[in-house]
């Protein structure tokens, strides 16, 4: 089983002067769901190399057993420091793809043509795909073969408007994930702020927030075991 995980390369939180990037739990939790299931994991990012970690996600209050495991895992940290460039990645080399969130993806991956093409390629191949927290927003320009929005009419979740308001970044982010998905015609569901919530709609899996990362990864493994990719 070959799993691709796509991380942001964007490290600037709008015009706040603060840093952002990927959220550690959203990488660490799925990483070990996949690794412990025997998967071969490849990490990729638009620029390659070391992707930026949102420093807030490494603060003590946001640590979990799995983030601590990742930080103590020399092989995992070495892999993170040497992500492959997204423009060199081919969907045919992987069984599935998982996008961790953090605020960074709203700036780069949401607009990155390589990411958009990659997601559309996985969709076309009938392979399961998963996005957690802010990462569902990277589907804003992903379309079906007929040009309609991929998320139109699909059941999804993601970081909610009230969660964004709770972290004080409603007016900083380039767009709100919930509003964007709803505007594209998705059927958006949510639970209380910071509650665990994962939605499965065929090959598409989305998780609401960092706490949903493990569940979304488990759902992806289940979908992977149940789905047969389309013939090339």
């Amino acid at each position: 089983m070959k799993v691709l995980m796509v991380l942001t390369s964007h490290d600037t939180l709008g015009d706040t002067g603060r840093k952002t990037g990927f959220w550690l739990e959203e990488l660490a939790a799925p990483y070990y769901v996949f690794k412990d299931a025997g998967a071969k994991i490849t990490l990729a990012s638009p620029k390659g190399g070391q992707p930026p970690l949102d420093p807030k996600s490494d603060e003590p209050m946001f640590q979990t057993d799995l983030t601590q495991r990742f930080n103590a895992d020399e092989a995992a940290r070495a892999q993170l420091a040497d992500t492959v460039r997204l423009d060199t990645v081919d969907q045919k080399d992987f069984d599935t793809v998982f996008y961790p969130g953090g605020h960074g993806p709203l700036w780069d991956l949401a607009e990155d043509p390589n990411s958009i093409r990659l997601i559309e390629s996985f969709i076309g191949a009938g392979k399961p795909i998963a996005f957690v927290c802010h990462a569902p927003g990277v589907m804003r320009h992903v379309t079906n073969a007929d040009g309609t929005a991929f998320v139109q009419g699909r059941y999804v979740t993601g970081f909610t408007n009230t969660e964004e308001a709770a972290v004080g970044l409603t007016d900083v982010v380039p767009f709100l994930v919930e509003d964007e998905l709803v505007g594209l015609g998705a059927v958006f569901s949510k639970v209380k702020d910071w509650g665990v919530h994962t939605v499965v709609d065929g090959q598409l899996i989305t998780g609401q927030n960092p706490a949903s990362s493990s569940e979304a990864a488990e759902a992806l493994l289940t979908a992977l075991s149940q789905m047969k990719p389309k013939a090339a």
Side-chain angles (χ1 to χ4, degrees):
M1 179 170 50
K2 296 179 180 178
V3 178
L4 175 66
M5 300 185 75
V6 180
L7 297 158
T8 181
S9 291
H10 184 86
D11 70 352
T12 305
L13 191 61
D15 58 4
T16 64
R18 291 149 55 191
K19 292 296 185 181
T20 190
F22 70 90
W23 195 261
L24 182 56
E25 183 180 3
E26 297 171 31
L27 168 64
Y31 184 90
Y32 288 112
V33 168
F34 302 141
K35 184 175 182 179
D36 293 347
K40 180 181 179 182
I41 303 167
T42 297
L43 303 180
S45 64
K47 295 181 180 179
Q50 176 73 54
L53 170 69
D54 187 317
K56 196 168 186 65
S57 72
D58 206 21
E59 292 178 358
M61 69 178 294
F62 296 115
Q63 291 297 309
T64 67
D65 289 345
L66 292 176
T67 62
Q68 292 171 354
R69 180 181 173 186
F70 191 92
N71 283 334
D73 187 335
E74 291 187 11
R77 287 189 291 108
Q79 186 178 12
L80 179 63
D82 192 28
T83 65
V84 301
R85 283 179 57 102
L86 194 56
D87 60 5
T88 69
V89 170
D90 190 330
Q91 164 269 131
K92 295 177 182 177
D93 296 329
F94 301 95
D95 298 303
T96 188
V97 64
F98 188 102
Y99 277 69
H103 284 91
L106 299 185
W107 277 275
D108 64 351
L109 291 172
E111 309 299 330
D112 188 306
N114 293 309
S115 177
I116 295 165
R117 283 194 296 268
L118 180 69
I119 295 168
E120 291 174 346
S121 180
F122 272 96
I123 293 167
K127 297 176 180 179
I129 55 178
F131 309 81
V132 71
C133 199
H134 286 88
V138 310
M139 292 186 286
R140 68 186 311 209
H141 298 308
V142 174
T143 61
N144 298 305
D146 63 0
T148 58
F150 172 66
V151 298
Q152 182 179 334
R154 294 185 181 274
Y155 291 87
V156 301
T157 189
F159 204 59
T160 66
N161 290 351
T162 52
E163 287 170 328
E164 199 69 81
V167 298
L169 295 173
T170 300
D171 297 325
V172 173
V173 293
F175 63 91
L176 295 171
V177 174
E178 179 179 348
D179 282 355
E180 183 71 15
L181 294 173
V182 170
L184 290 169
V187 183
F188 190 94
S189 66
K190 54 187 173 181
V191 297
K192 65 180 181 179
D193 289 359
W194 321 118
V196 177
H197 183 50
T198 301
V199 175
V200 179
D201 185 338
Q203 71 188 112
L204 175 62
I205 295 148
T206 48
Q208 180 173 319
N209 48 37
S212 309
S213 301
S214 289
E215 186 177 83
E218 294 282 4
L220 183 59
L221 288 184
T222 298
L224 192 56
S225 71
Q226 296 172 344
M227 296 182 70
K228 294 182 179 179
K230 298 175 184 177

